[in-house]
Amino acid sequence: MTAPQQHHRGAPAPAASSRLEVVTFTLGQEEYGIDIQKVQELRGYDAVTRIANAPEYIKGVVNLRGIIVPIIDMRIKFQLGAPTYDQFTVVIVLNIGGRVVGMVVDSVSDVITLSAEQIKPAPEMGAVLDTDYLIGLGTLDERMLILVDIDKLMSSDEMGLIEKVI
């Protein structure tokens, strides 16, 4: 009778904290990952209401069950060419610091769990994506995921969407 209890109280707790569960998505040819705990829901791309003088990457806003949600096109933000919107286009609805934000991506792949050993520091990558916004690179078999610190990115001064998450 004590064996299951010992197993329950055993070592998995510290290991669990060093794991990162991520939702993976594609933008152009690259695959990215963000912490699943920031993801509220996945939706198809709907028409948005444009906002005058908003930066180009802020496509507009949508009314999501009474909450006005800004929609950011990450392809424009990361300068990955002209976006196309089709049945595969996905909006990842994020909840960051109590604010709800939608992020347009090409497609959502899956949910994976990465161990600390599978997460490598990000190399300097130049101006396309500031490494301040990266957790690192996730490796899974032949796949390489760019792990985005979505809190930092969405609360960055240039986005101007969310107060800094402390």
Side-chain angles (χ1 to χ4, degrees):
M1 193 84 167
T2 56
Q5 287 179 329
Q6 285 176 336
H7 178 72
H8 182 69
R9 279 186 281 138
S17 64
S18 64
R19 292 180 169 277
L20 180 64
E21 196 171 6
V22 296
V23 172
T24 65
F25 60 89
T26 57
L27 289 171
Q29 301 302 307
E30 302 299 333
E31 197 170 15
Y32 295 80
I34 56 172
D35 185 344
I36 194 169
Q37 294 181 356
K38 309 297 178 190
V39 176
Q40 182 171 303
E41 65 184 280
L42 303 176
R43 304 173 52 80
Y45 183 80
D46 293 325
V48 298
T49 303
R50 290 283 306 156
I51 299 174
N53 302 321
E56 188 186 0
Y57 55 82
I58 298 181
K59 295 303 295 179
V61 295
V62 296
N63 185 334
L64 184 62
R65 294 183 294 278
I67 299 170
I68 302 302
V69 178
I71 303 294
I72 292 125
D73 193 309
M74 299 307 279
R75 296 168 291 194
I76 297 171
K77 176 70 183 137
F78 291 167
Q79 300 163 0
L80 297 172
T84 55
Y85 302 98
D86 58 27
Q87 71 269 28
F88 302 111
T89 305
V90 177
V91 176
I92 301 176
V93 179
L94 304 165
N95 193 321
I96 297 172
R99 286 288 305 273
V100 179
V101 179
M103 178 172 85
V104 181
V105 299
D106 290 341
S107 64
V108 170
S109 313
D110 51 13
V111 175
I112 59 171
T113 302
L114 296 170
S115 66
E117 299 79 52
Q118 291 174 292
I119 300 172
K120 309 288 185 239
E124 286 297 324
M125 300 225 271
V128 173
L129 182 59
D130 194 323
T131 51
D132 287 354
Y133 305 137
L134 296 185
I135 295 168
L137 297 174
T139 54
L140 186 72
D141 302 322
E142 299 301 305
R143 288 163 72 185
M144 183 78 78
L145 300 172
I146 299 167
L147 301 175
V148 179
D149 185 333
I150 203 68
D151 279 340
K152 272 192 185 165
L153 180 63
M154 290 300 176
S155 61
S156 65
D157 291 340
E158 74 211 57
M159 285 291 213
L161 291 169
I162 298 169
E163 295 304 311
K164 288 257 185 285
V165 179
I166 298 169

